[in-house]
Each structure stands twice: as structure tokens, then as C-alpha cells.
Amino acid sequence: MSESDATNALSVRNVVKQFGSGPNAVTALNNVSVDIQSNEFFTLLGPSGCGKTTLLRLTAGFEQPTAGEIFLFGEEIEDLPPHERPVNTVFQHYALFPHMTVEENIGFGLRMQKWSGPEIRARVNETLALVKMEQFATRKPVQLSGGQQQRIALARALAPRPKVLLLDEPLSALDLKLRQAMRNELKTLQRETGITFIFVTHDQEEALTMSDRIAVMSAGLIQQIGAPLEIYERPINRFVADFIGDTNFIETRIDQVSGNRALCVAGGELQFETDVVDGHGIGDAVTLAVRPERITLQKTMLRSKDMPVIEEATYLGTDTSYEINIGDGVVVTVRDQNAEAGMGRFAAGENVKLTFSDGAARMLVD
Amino acid sequence: MSEKTPKKRKGFVLGYYPGMNMWTLFFFVYLYMPMVVLVAYSFNDGNRAQIWQGFSTRWFYRAFINDDIQNAALNSLIIAVCATVVATVLATLAALVLARGGEFRGRSASLGMVTLPLIVPEIATAVATLSFFAIIGFQLGMLSIIIAHTVFCIPFAFLPIRARLEGMDTDLEQAAGDLYANAWETFRFVTLPILAPGIVAGAMLAFIISVDDFIITLMVSGAGATTLPLYIYGMIRQGITPEVNVISTVMLAISIAFITAYWFISARGDTVKGH
Ligand SMILES: Nc1ncnc2c1ncn2[C@@H]1O[C@H](COP(=O)(O)OP(=O)(O)OP(=O)(O)O)[C@@H](O)[C@H]1O
Ligand SMILES: [Mg+2]
């Protein structure tokens, strides 16, 4: 496996990265493989310390892989120094040159590529317009706010029109409103420029709203790669299901199997139908993942201690979150939209009836 | 003084102990009184240094037209400039290797060794340098002084440069590399400009240390290579003349000017971070 499909912007093959050696060695990446397509908005998502930055740094050339290969448009690049890679980085802390003006910062990459003065000026102005920072051209970075610095860092990396743009949590230092605005701008920029974006974040909402595809990472491994909908709706394991959104994990046994579908009973008598994974059969203990918003609550006139009962109701503004005991000591969380003003539809102690939309439950690979 | 500061006093703080102000005052008087006297007497009109006979600047004039003093001053200047340039370049390289060269065997040992001369007794360095020159049969004179000065100036130049470099994010150099700058361009356009205040500060420190040095210079100077401190020492042996006061005052003024400039330049270092 040493050639790569040239239509992939980036191919990472069996990359291992260790820091240090001997007993203190840290394995930041443990055999990672991923193909990122051209023009894709690709996100690396995972908790702190899972190796996201390390993967970016290997791609930019600031670190060398301990093992494995990295291809950029089919060309093997592990041995190229950073300045020979057609890749630019937006650093987590911007890393703007403090002694240069905004213009000089943005023009730096062009100057190093020996562009002519007028060409540089034209591209700098164009890029300043792109990030809506024209009026700040002659300021120094210290005279800018965090959000403005962030745009300049982005402009500086975009100006040379790299084939691949690496963004290391570029929005993490911004406040919520600005972050949301920048999300849309980044997405638009990516579409307009057609540059492949590799975006690092540990914010799942950011990942879900911006990405074409997401790689969920944990402990130096890629757990799952897929479109946002796929990752959210069909998480393959407990880590992904837990990391992305809220999830009920229901430990249960397979009751019946017909073809590819299994029926599991949880709590008192709630039945979940799911696809079978991992070749499980009748009687196997499995974990089901059910999103809180995929369970629908219905009023019921029946009163019985065997029926699901609401233990706790928490008002969340748009929703109410209920902790519901479904029997056998199994408690699930259910989100119910607050269609009317005031508290939710149910109160603690009430019996309710639970129904599921098809495919609400998902059997996990453990 | 402490009554004016509305800070809360929590428990016993030595700095607030009554009478501490008096001690501080005494300390400053003790420290600066001799210099005040020196400066005042350099404006003395009389022929004897210690008896005040009215204000005059005539000894300044006399000192400036004195050929021997002019020669000594020129020697001091040549030595200081040469030693400063060489020491600053070497210190910059050493700082770059130690702060940016990654981990290598003996890194912390090297760091200690660069700064060790700061605490070695100067007389020991002086004797060692003299013996060294004697062993290799090196002719004592301007060149031997320049070499000796270069050596002891390096740690002084090194410290501010390294401090500046330590405070500079490696991110910045990586960003330059990321934006197609090769190693030389990264140094030329990013590292060096950001480092410049540290280099200037280091050079100023080295310069003033060189100009003021006496013991090592005394040991390794040959005939004819007299610097200002050596000249002053020679004159004092014939009694303190007003000219000695004048030269000392001028040297004091130069030192203060340089040190002040040094502090200003060092204090500008707070914008070094990339964010
Ligand atoms: N230069 C280094 N030396 C030693 N260990 C390192 C080095 N760089 C990273 N690591 C380790 O490698 C692991 C992955 O680090 P990395 O910076 O890639 O995490 P990350 O996913 O970017 O985390 P965060 O979200 O906090 O930025 C961590 O355990 C980290 O301590
Ligand atoms: Mg990181």
C-alpha cells in the first residue's frame, strides 16, 4: 500500500506518531488511516489530547511520522519540509507576526513565493476583502481584537491559495456569537475558494454544522468517519455515540432475530427494533443507543406501577428533559419540545407511554 | 509613605515594619553619596580635587584636550566596539542553538557554561586569561584585550537575547515555514526582527561591561594599550586630580545612559507573543 489515489487531497496511511522514547513514550497517533477528498470540508473531532493537532502538524510538516505514509494529491510528502508543501495552516493561537502590519502578514507567503509587488498588493487586498478587514490593513496584530486576529490568520493562510488549508481550532478563542457567525463565513469561504479544508475542533456542534465529513478521534485512533448525519444517526460505538450529542445507553439482551433485524426488550416491556451488528444472536447482551429526542411521550390514562413513570422534569427553554424510569431500574432521558409556554407537558410522578420512531435505537459495536 | 497606600495589611510584613523607611534611606545615601560627591567635585574650580573652590567646567575642557586621555578613550572605544560586535554575534548564535536547536546531549550543561563566567571571580578569569596568552606566546596589546573582553562580554550579551528568544513562540517560526519561508528567510524576516531588541540590549550591556572593565584589562594589556579605567588608575596613584573626577563622571554618565536605554529596550519585550 504505497500508492494513493490522486483525487484524494490528503491520504494518511497507517500513520503512527510517538513522542519521546522508552517508558515515557507517548503514542499520539496509533495507526491512523484516512482519505480526504479534494474540495472537502473535513473535520477532525475528538476530546483534548486525542491527537488532532498532531495529525495536522504531520500534514503541515512540523513533525515527522514515526511510521506510515502521507500523500498530498498522490505525492508522498513525509520528507518535504513545511515550506515545500502546498499546505497552509491557521494556528490555534493565530501566530501572527507581531512586528508586521496586517498587510505584511497576509502578503508574507506571497513574498516568500517571490510574487511581484503589484501582484502581492492585489492579492492582499482581495483577501482582506474576503475576510472583510479592509480598514485594518495598516494595523499591527496587537491592535486587533481576538476575532479580528482570527480573520487575519485565516487571510494569511488563504492568500497563497493553498491546495489544502489546515485549521486548528481557529474559533475556540471567540465568543459564542462571533463563533457562530464565523462558522457560516468559513463554510462560505470554503465553497467559494474550493480549497480543501481540514478543520480541527472538539466542539461537536461546530463539526456537525460545518463539515462534509467528520472523523471522530479518541486516544490516537479514528473511531468513525462519516457525514454529520451518519455520525449522529448511526454512531458505530459507544465512544462516538457518547461524544456526539446526548445518548441513552440501554443494556439489554437480544430477544428475537429475523434476518438482519433484532428485537430487544428493555426495562419492563419496551421493545426496540434494530439492525444486528457484530453477528450477535439471540440471548446476547448488547448495548443500545437511543437519542433522547427520538423518543416520543404520550399521555396515558392508565396508572400502574409497571408503566414508565417520570422521575424528574428539567426545563431547558426550548425543551423539557425528562428522566423516565421504564422499569427494572432502567432510566432513560427523553427530550420533549415545549410547544406551549410554561412548564413541560408532564410532571414528576406521572405515568407516560413511550413510542419510538423507526430506527431510533441503534445496536453498538463494543 | 506606607500610610498613603490603602492596601490591606495582612499580618506582619517586614516591608511595613516601622523604621524600615529609615533604613532604606540610609542604604540609598550610602550607595549614591560617593557618586554625588564625585560628580560635584568634577565641577570644582580648584587645582586640588578635595577642596571646593567654586563652580567651573574648566577641568572638563582640560580633560578633553589631554592627549593621553584622548588616546585612552579611543582605545576603550575600539576595544568595546570590537568586543561587543563579536560577543553579540556569538551570543546570538549560542542563544539560537540553545533555545531552538531542540534537545541535544549537554544542552543544560551548555546553558550553565555560557553563564558561568558571570559568577567566576574576575581575578581568576584575569589570571587564567593572562596565563593562557603567556602559554601560547600571544603578544599582549590591543588584540589581546579585545579577545579577553569578547570572552567575558558573551554571557552579558547572551542573557537578554535568550530571554527574548524564550518568550518568542516557536509557532511564529513554524508559521513562517508554513508560508514558504526557508530556514534562512525565517531567520531573516521573523526571528531576527523579533529578537532585535534583545540583541540591542545584549550589545549595550556588553559594551558598557567592556568599557568599565579594569582587572582583566590590567592583566592582559601590553605597553601602549591603555584604556580609560587603566588611565584613571594610573593617575590616582599620583593623587586624585580634578581630571580623574571629570573622566569618572563622564564614564558614569555614559554607563547610566546605556543602562537606561537597555531597560527601555528590554521593557519593550512584552509584545513578543504572537497573540
Ligand atoms: N511535542 C510533544 N511531546 C510529547 N508529547 C506530545 C507532544 N505533542 C503532543 N503530545 C502528546 O500527544 C497527545 C496528542 O496531542 P495533540 O496535541 O495532538 O492533542 P489534541 O487532540 O490536539 O488536543 P487538544 O484538543 O487539547 O488540542 C497528547 O497526549 C499530548 O500530550
Ligand atoms: Mg490541539
Side-chain angles (χ1 to χ4, degrees):
Chain A
M1 279 246 296
S2 67
E3 76 276 12
S4 154
D5 189 347
T7 63
N8 285 329
L10 184 75
S11 289
V12 174
R13 291 290 154 78
N14 307 107
V15 162
V16 175
K17 177 64 188 175
Q18 274 184 344
F19 291 105
S21 54
N24 305 331
V26 179
T27 305
L29 293 175
N30 190 359
N31 201 356
V32 165
S33 295
V34 56
D35 286 321
I36 297 170
Q37 282 144 31
S38 193
N39 298 349
E40 200 171 18
F41 197 121
F42 192 91
T43 298
L44 299 171
L45 174 66
S48 189
C50 70
K52 307 178 297 285
T53 298
T54 304
L55 190 52
L56 277 202
R57 291 173 59 80
L58 287 170
T59 308
F62 306 136
E63 307 276 1
Q64 302 302 310
T66 310
E69 291 123 38
I70 301 173
F71 299 88
L72 204 68
F73 293 94
E75 187 198 351
E76 198 162 348
I77 57 164
E78 299 105 69
D79 297 330
L80 291 184
H83 68 272
E84 287 175 22
R85 301 187 185 199
V87 167
N88 288 154
T89 307
V90 179
F91 288 80
Q92 187 161 2
H93 299 291
Y94 314 140
L96 295 174
F97 304 126
H99 58 297
M100 297 183 196
T101 62
V102 163
E103 283 176 313
E104 287 165 346
N105 265 286
I106 298 176
F108 187 82
L110 310 174
R111 204 166 124 216
M112 293 303 114
Q113 288 184 315
K114 312 286 182 286
W115 286 35
S116 75
E119 278 176 326
I120 293 179
R121 229 164 296 129
R123 175 59 67 83
V124 166
N125 290 337
E126 184 189 323
T127 315
L128 274 171
L130 202 62
V131 295
K132 305 188 186 72
M133 290 287 291
E134 295 99 322
Q135 68 272 42
F136 298 99
T138 55
R139 292 225 194 147
K140 289 277 181 70
V142 284
Q143 299 168 303
L144 299 175
S145 73
Q148 292 165 341
Q149 289 183 30
Q150 199 275 324
R151 283 155 193 259
I152 301 308
L154 185 65
R156 185 179 69 174
L158 276 174
R161 293 286 182 278
K163 289 185 171 168
V164 175
L165 188 70
L166 309 175
L167 304 103
D168 194 355
E169 307 198 29
L171 307 184
S172 60
L174 308 182
D175 65 57
L176 185 66
K177 275 272 176 276
L178 195 55
R179 194 156 55 202
Q180 283 167 346
M182 283 305 294
R183 268 184 212 163
N184 296 333
E185 285 184 31
L186 271 183
K187 186 71 195 153
T188 315
L189 261 177
Q190 192 264 335
R191 231 179 282 124
E192 281 174 2
T193 56
I195 295 172
T196 307
F197 275 37
I198 304 179
F199 184 89
V200 162
T201 183
H202 56 239
D203 180 332
Q204 44 141 330
E205 199 183 317
E206 218 164 85
L208 291 172
T209 52
M210 297 168 78
S211 322
D212 293 322
R213 283 194 306 155
I214 300 171
V216 182
M217 296 180 67
S218 143
L221 292 168
I222 293 187
Q223 302 287 341
Q224 185 173 5
I225 301 178
L229 190 131
E230 204 176 320
I231 297 273
Y232 188 81
E233 299 291 341
R234 297 188 287 282
I236 64 156
N237 60 25
R238 197 182 182 109
F239 176 83
V240 177
D242 198 23
F243 191 72
I244 317 276
D246 297 324
T247 305
N248 292 298
F249 292 106
I250 300 171
E251 310 292 341
T252 177
R253 280 180 194 285
I254 298 180
D255 208 41
Q256 293 170 32
V257 176
S258 77
N260 186 26
R261 304 283 285 173
L263 198 70
C264 308
V265 179
E269 50 212 57
L270 280 185
Q271 294 189 332
F272 297 94
E273 214 188 304
T274 73
D275 283 341
V276 177
V277 296
D278 260 7
H280 281 303
I282 293 177
D284 287 357
V286 292
T287 306
L288 301 181
V290 189
R291 298 287 184 196
E293 72 276 13
R294 302 297 296 275
I295 306 176
T296 319
L297 299 179
Q298 284 175 351
K299 294 236 182 229
T300 170
M301 286 297 125
L302 300 171
R303 291 277 175 270
S304 149
K305 66 178 174 54
D306 297 330
M307 287 199 49
V309 59
I310 294 184
E311 292 195 331
E312 210 180 309
T314 312
Y315 179 70
L316 299 176
T318 55
D319 302 328
T320 304
S321 171
Y322 298 101
E323 300 292 312
I324 298 172
N325 188 337
I326 59 171
D328 264 4
V330 181
V331 176
V332 296
T333 307
V334 177
R335 285 274 191 107
D336 190 51
Q337 260 206 346
N338 294 334
E340 289 156 33
M343 273 301 288
R345 296 189 290 149
F346 307 95
E350 252 182 273
N351 284 115
V352 283
K353 188 164 179 287
L354 276 62
T355 55
F356 312 93
S357 52
D358 197 29
R362 189 161 161 78
M363 194 183 293
L364 297 177
V365 180
D366 277 308
Chain B
M1 263 165 28
S2 57
E3 282 81 355
K4 287 181 188 166
T5 52
K7 277 185 191 158
K8 271 186 211 155
R9 290 188 195 179
K10 278 190 188 156
F12 175 79
V13 180
L14 193 58
Y16 286 121
Y17 194 68
M20 225 46 187
N21 293 344
M22 275 302 300
W23 279 108
T24 312
L25 190 65
F26 176 75
F27 170 74
F28 277 110
V29 168
Y30 184 76
L31 198 61
Y32 286 106
M33 202 58 193
M35 286 189 234
V36 172
V37 171
L38 172 84
V39 173
Y41 271 90
S42 63
F43 292 98
N44 189 4
D45 191 38
N47 287 337
R48 305 253 305 280
Q50 286 90 345
I51 299 165
W52 183 258
Q53 291 181 338
F55 180 88
S56 155
T57 53
R58 75 187 177 97
W59 287 105
F60 278 83
Y61 178 70
R62 288 279 295 273
F64 283 121
I65 59 163
N66 180 327
D67 280 347
D68 290 342
I69 294 177
Q70 281 183 2
N71 269 337
L74 187 64
N75 282 347
S76 274
L77 189 68
I78 293 171
I79 292 164
V81 168
C82 294
T84 299
V85 170
V86 180
T88 307
V89 169
L90 292 178
T92 305
L93 294 178
L96 282 171
V97 170
L98 288 174
R100 290 293 191 268
E103 283 298 322
F104 57 89
R105 268 177 72 95
R107 181 172 178 271
S108 42
S110 314
L111 196 58
M113 282 170 70
V114 174
T115 48
L116 190 65
L118 293 177
I119 53 165
V120 171
E122 199 186 350
I123 188 72
T125 315
V127 171
T129 315
L130 179 61
S131 322
F132 177 72
F133 283 139
I135 289 167
I136 65 169
F138 198 90
Q139 172 83 50
L140 295 184
M142 286 292 280
L143 193 57
S144 62
I145 302 180
I146 290 174
I147 293 172
H149 278 219
T150 302
V151 172
F152 71 71
C153 281
I154 287 176
F156 289 96
F158 174 79
L159 287 179
I161 298 173
R162 191 178 84 102
R164 183 97 184 153
L165 203 51
E166 299 269 292
M168 178 180 164
D169 280 342
T170 46
D171 267 14
L172 294 176
E173 283 140 319
Q174 285 174 356
D178 191 62
L179 292 161
Y180 315 108
N182 60 32
W184 164 249
E185 288 164 333
T186 299
F187 177 73
R188 167 72 188 77
F189 296 118
V190 175
T191 316
L192 191 60
I194 294 175
L195 212 52
I199 294 176
V200 173
M204 296 181 93
L205 215 51
F207 184 88
I208 215 66
I209 295 292
S210 167
V211 167
D212 290 350
D213 182 73
F214 175 70
I215 298 178
I216 293 177
T217 318
L218 180 69
M219 290 280 183
V220 300
S221 64
T226 300
T227 63
L228 272 182
L230 293 192
Y231 182 81
I232 295 172
Y233 180 68
M235 278 169 68
I236 283 179
R237 282 153 51 121
Q238 299 148 25
I240 299 179
T241 69
E243 272 171 316
V244 169
N245 283 344
V246 164
I247 307 170
S248 305
T249 299
V250 171
M251 287 188 69
L252 184 66
I254 294 172
S255 292
I256 291 173
F258 266 71
I259 294 298
T260 311
Y262 164 77
W263 280 115
F264 272 108
I265 291 168
S266 301
R268 268 189 42 195
D270 50 5
T271 59
V272 68
K273 294 269 179 189
H275 44 91

